[in-house]
Amino acid sequence: MCGIVSVLTFEKEIIECLISSLERLEYRGYDSAGIAYIDENSKIERIRRVGKVAHLRQAVEKLNTNSHIGIGHTRWATHGKAIEKNAHPHIAGGVAIVHNGIIENFEQIKRELLNEGEVFESDSDSEVIAKLISYHIKTGLSFTEAMKTSMPRLKGTYAIAAIYEKQPNVLIGTKKGSPMAVGLSSDGRSIFIASDSVALSSLAGQITYLEDGDFVICLKEEEITYKILDSSFSEVNRSLILNNIAQNTVTKSGFADFMLKEIFEEPNTALETFNNFGSPIDLSQYKNISLIACGTSYYAGVLAKYWIEDLVGIHTDVEIASEFRYRNPVLSKSTLYIFISQSGETIDTLNALRNVKAQGLDTLSIVNVESSSIDREAKYKIKTSAGPEIGVASTKSFIAQALSLLLLFVDKNKIDIKEITHAMNEVISQYEKIKNVANKIKNSKSLLYIGRGTSYPIALEGALKAKELSYISAEGYPSGEIKHGPMALVDESIYSIILAPQDKYFEKTISNAQEILARNGRVLFITNEGVQLNFGQASYLYVPKIDPTAQPFVLTTAIHLLAYYIAKQKGLNVDQPRNLAKSVTVE
Ligand code: F6R
C-alpha cells in the first residue's frame, strides 16, 4: 500500500502541493505521513508524523521554504510499527526516498550494508533503498548510476521517488510491480511523480504511466525536462494522456461521515450504473466465466455466479485473486476472465489479470477508478458508475459492481431499475429503526450472518462490513451450513442476522433461524414487508419485496446501514477503520 508523491518545479509552493497530494493519497494508508525537500542551502529537511496526513499538515503549517524539489509519503505499515522512525521519507548520505511496495530481501541487503559499516535507524524494509543508493554514490557513482545499480538488487515490488541533496535539480523515479504516474503541469513549469493520477488531479494536465523496470529522470534547467529509460537504460517513449480525473474535491455534503453519504448514494449509484451501462463484449464466444477479485469485490462475484448460472446457464467460477494467482489454475480460451476491483490497483487482482493475459486469454475489468492499473491493462473494460468512494469500506461500489455484472448477462429491459432504487430508498428512510437495532447488537461477542441463494453473498458482505468497521468478530455462512459447525458457537452472547427475503428458500432459512433461537441465540430477521414472523425474543427489519433477482440490492443497503450504525454506536471511525487501507497494493 502506501502513497508516494514528488515534485520538481519552478514554483515555490511545494509544501502545499505535497500535502494536498498526500491527502488525496490517504486512501492508500494512514499510519504515518512525511515529506522531505532540499532547502536553499542544498540540505535535506524532513518532517514526519505518526497518524493521518492532518497531523503532518499541522506540523508544516508555519514552514516557509523556497525549495523547488520534494517528496512525500503516506504509509500503511508493513515492516516496522507505525512509529516516527519507520515513517518515510528515509534518508541516507544526502539521498531521500519514498517507497510503495515491499522489499522482500531487505534483511539480506541490510546485513551486507551493516557489514560495510552502515548504521540503520528504522525497522522498515524501505530504508535499505536509501542506504543502497547512498552506498553506491560513496563508491563514486553518480546519483543516476547509483539508482540504476541499486534497483536490480531489490526483490519484491516498488515504486520509488528519490532526491539527492547534491543535485537539487534532479528527481528520479522508478517502479516494479507498484504503479507510478508521471505528470506534467499544463504550463510546463512542474513535473510530478506519484502513485496515481488521483494524487495529481489538480496539478498535472498530462500523465504518463511507467512500465516495470522504467526510470524517469526529471531535470530542472532552463526548463523542466524528463526522459524515460527502460531497465536496460535505453530511452523509451511512453504515451502521454490527458489527466481527466475530476479536480473537484469530494466533500461529506453535510453527512457525518463519507461512509454514511456513500450508503445514502447507493440508489443513485444503481441508477447511474443502469443508465451508463453498455456491454463492451460479445459473450456468445465464451462457454465459461471466471470472476476474480478480493474482499467485497469478490462477494460481488459470488453474487454474480448465482445470477449467471441461474439466469443464463453459463458455467461460472469465482476466485479469490490472491489464491488464483499462485495456484496453477486450468485456463481455457473458451473462458472469459473478469476482474472486479473498486480501486483498480489491488495487487493480487492485478497480478492475476497479468497471469491470464500472459496466456493470451481474454480479460475484462470491472473497475471504478478510471486509468487505474487494472483498467489500463484489461482487454475489455467496464467502468462502474459509483463515483469517488472515500470511505475505506466499499459500499456503493459493491452495488455498482453487482449491477454491472447483472447487466452484462441480462437484458436491460428485464431489470426494473425504478423498483430497485425505490426499494433501496425505502430502506434508507428506515435509518432510525436500523440505528435502534444496531444499538441492541453492538455489544455482542460475535455476529453470525446467514442466508441462502443470493442472500448468502450478502451475508458474507454483511459480516465483512461488521468486522472491519466495528471490530466484532463476524462470520457469513450459508444458512444450511450452520449445523455443520458454527451452531456450536451459538449462545446468548451471539447475534445472528438472518437474511430471509420471501424467496424460494424462505421456509428453510426460517427453520435454520429457529434452530438458533432454540439454543438461546439472539436473532435479527431482515425480511420482506408483509411477512408475519412472531418469535417473541427476535428483532425484525422489514425491507420492500421486489423481483427476487434484484432483492440482494435492497438487502445490501440494509446490511451496510446496520454495520455503519453498529460501529458508530461504538464510537469508531467508520471512514478509516484501524489497520486498513482503501487500496491494497501489497500482497
Ligand atoms: C471491504 C473492502 C475490501 C475491498 C478489497 C478489494 O469493505 O473494501 O474488502 O473490497 O480490498 O478492493 P478493490 O475492490 O479495490 O480491488
Side-chain angles (χ1 to χ4, degrees):
M1 284 94 103
C2 304
I4 67 169
V5 64
S6 55
V7 56
L8 178 65
T9 179
F10 283 101
E11 312 297 344
K12 287 186 192 149
E13 296 301 317
I14 70 153
I15 304 284
E16 180 51 34
C17 157
L18 291 172
I19 298 285
S20 60
S21 298
L22 290 180
E23 284 166 346
R24 288 191 289 272
L25 282 170
E26 204 166 32
Y27 72 91
R28 287 171 167 265
Y30 34 83
D31 287 334
S32 64
I35 58 167
Y37 57 89
I38 303 176
D39 70 11
E40 38 281 55
N41 305 314
S42 288
K43 283 271 158 285
I44 293 207
E45 293 292 338
R46 170 173 69 182
I47 305 106
R48 299 179 292 180
R49 285 296 178 271
V50 172
K52 312 248 157 81
V53 179
H55 296 158
L56 183 66
R57 181 176 272 293
Q58 270 171 9
V60 299
E61 215 164 46
K62 302 216 167 77
L63 208 65
N64 224 339
T65 172
N66 270 330
S67 173
H68 296 277
I69 184 165
I71 56 180
H73 188 268
T74 178
R75 179 169 187 245
W76 186 84
T78 59
H79 295 65
K81 290 192 173 143
I83 51 178
E84 194 166 311
K85 70 169 185 174
N86 293 328
H88 297 219
H90 290 287
I91 300 180
V95 172
I97 65 101
V98 283
H99 167 226
N100 167 30
I102 290 181
I103 306 304
E104 289 167 359
N105 60 339
F106 84 99
E107 275 170 341
Q108 189 194 337
I109 299 174
K110 193 167 177 172
R111 266 198 308 277
E112 289 169 19
L113 291 169
L114 285 167
N115 285 340
E116 295 286 334
E118 296 288 339
V119 178
F120 282 78
E121 292 172 357
S122 78
D123 312 312
S124 161
D125 56 327
S126 308
E127 191 182 2
V128 299
I129 304 169
K131 290 283 181 195
L132 203 55
I133 301 166
S134 100
Y135 171 82
H136 286 300
I137 290 176
K138 277 192 245 165
T139 67
L141 297 186
S142 70
F143 177 30
T144 313
E145 286 166 343
M147 286 287 290
K148 181 186 167 194
T149 311
S150 301
M151 293 310 124
R153 282 298 326 273
L154 306 179
K155 286 202 180 124
T157 54
Y158 55 79
I160 299 165
I163 54 177
Y164 177 41
E165 62 185 15
K166 296 216 170 114
Q167 284 181 263
N169 292 333
V170 182
L171 168 67
I172 304 183
T174 182
K175 72 143 245 161
K176 193 185 103 197
S178 304
M180 179 167 266
V182 179
L184 291 170
S185 66
S186 308
D187 61 7
R189 287 174 60 78
S190 307
I191 188 161
F192 312 90
I193 302 173
S195 296
D196 61 31
S197 53
V198 179
L200 306 180
S201 60
S202 56
L203 301 169
Q206 286 184 305
I207 296 267
T208 187
Y209 290 95
L210 295 196
E211 292 186 8
D212 279 354
D214 282 357
F215 292 82
V216 58
I217 301 179
C218 312
L219 291 178
K220 178 170 146 287
E221 294 166 321
E222 303 291 278
E223 51 186 35
I224 299 273
T225 57
Y226 75 98
K227 58 183 172 184
I228 298 178
L229 308 170
D230 66 13
S231 52
S232 60
F233 250 48
S234 313
E235 199 163 340
V236 280
N237 260 330
R238 304 278 178 236
S239 48
L240 276 168
I241 52 169
L242 280 181
N243 185 22
N244 49 15
I245 298 284
Q247 307 209 351
N248 39 344
T249 323
V250 184
T251 65
K252 291 183 194 161
S253 316
F255 285 88
D257 322 86
F258 281 109
M259 185 183 175
L260 188 61
K261 175 179 175 239
E262 287 159 6
I263 299 172
F264 272 59
E265 284 170 353
E266 286 185 356
N268 195 48
T269 296
L271 186 64
E272 291 286 314
T273 304
F274 184 86
N275 288 340
N276 297 339
F277 188 84
S279 176
I281 190 168
D282 171 13
L283 290 168
S284 62
Q285 48 187 317
Y286 303 106
K287 291 201 177 71
N288 305 294
I289 300 296
S290 188
L291 302 162
I292 301 141
C294 301
T296 284
S297 301
Y298 169 75
Y299 298 150
V302 179
L303 174 57
K305 175 181 163 76
Y306 281 85
W307 283 329
I308 301 166
E309 294 202 331
D310 184 31
L311 301 173
V312 283
I314 305 180
H315 172 85
T316 304
D317 290 316
V318 199
E319 303 269 2
I320 291 181
S322 56
E323 289 298 313
F324 178 85
R325 66 175 284 203
Y326 283 117
R327 64 186 185 81
N328 263 336
V330 178
L331 306 179
S332 101
K333 275 217 169 313
S334 59
T335 302
L336 174 64
Y337 295 88
I338 303 182
F339 298 84
I340 314 159
S341 176
Q342 188 286 129
S343 63
E345 297 294 353
T346 300
I347 193 80
D348 286 319
T349 312
L350 175 61
N351 279 303
L353 168 94
R354 286 176 176 162
N355 292 352
V356 171
K357 258 180 86 172
Q359 305 290 316
L361 303 173
D362 283 355
T363 58
L364 166 73
S365 63
I366 298 187
V367 161
N368 197 40
V369 178
E370 205 165 350
S371 300
S372 55
S373 301
I374 295 173
D375 182 44
R376 283 183 283 117
E377 295 192 25
K379 181 170 178 190
Y380 303 103
K381 304 157 204 292
I382 292 175
K383 160 87 175 64
T384 50
S385 302
E389 190 180 64
I390 309 296
V392 162
S394 286
T395 51
K396 61 177 178 169
S397 60
F398 176 79
I399 298 286
Q401 292 167 339
L403 186 53
S404 299
L405 283 159
L406 183 60
L407 290 165
L408 184 61
F409 291 93
V410 172
D411 183 353
K412 234 181 179 180
N413 298 320
K414 295 199 172 133
I415 295 167
D416 186 345
I417 192 66
K418 270 200 187 133
E419 182 187 54
I420 297 173
T421 55
H422 185 261
M424 290 166 91
N425 274 319
E426 254 198 57
V427 173
I428 288 171
S429 69
Q430 291 189 54
Y431 70 91
E432 283 292 352
K433 177 138 199 249
I434 299 175
K435 204 193 272 184
N436 290 339
V437 173
N439 196 34
K440 292 188 198 167
I441 292 178
K442 69 172 195 270
N443 294 322
S444 307
K445 189 172 78 189
S446 62
L447 304 175
L448 185 59
Y449 284 72
I450 64 167
R452 283 175 185 255
T454 54
S455 300
Y456 163 54
I458 311 306
L460 293 171
E461 167 64 0
L464 176 62
K465 283 297 103 89
K467 74 182 100 171
E468 72 175 317
L469 295 167
S470 61
Y471 317 147
I472 301 175
S473 143
E475 290 199 65
Y477 251 88
S479 309
E481 271 290 296
I482 51 168
K483 42 172 109 54
H484 298 286
M487 191 63 100
L489 293 170
V490 169
D491 63 19
E492 55 289 338
S493 68
I494 290 196
Y495 231 106
S496 297
I497 290 90
I498 319 289
L499 302 179
Q502 215 175 19
D503 55 15
K504 63 178 179 182
Y505 306 104
F506 178 72
E507 279 81 16
K508 288 191 193 306
T509 303
I510 297 302
S511 297
N512 298 136
Q514 279 184 297
E515 290 154 10
I516 292 173
L517 285 163
R519 287 159 181 85
N520 294 327
R522 302 208 292 157
V523 162
L524 164 67
F525 288 95
I526 306 186
T527 186
N528 288 135
E529 284 160 1
V531 167
Q532 302 285 336
L533 291 175
N534 205 0
F535 304 108
Q537 66 278 44
S539 305
Y540 302 92
L541 278 176
Y542 295 99
V543 300
K545 183 175 178 189
I546 62 169
D547 172 36
T549 300
Q551 194 67 64
F553 296 109
V554 185
L555 293 175
T556 299
T557 300
I559 53 102
H560 282 167
L561 275 175
L562 185 64
Y564 170 83
Y565 283 117
I566 297 172
K568 274 307 266 189
Q569 292 182 34
K570 293 182 75 135
L572 297 170
N573 183 337
V574 290
D575 283 342
Q576 292 183 324
R578 71 183 181 200
N579 305 340
L580 298 178
K582 182 117 189 107
S583 179
V584 182
T585 58
V586 293
E587 52 182 298

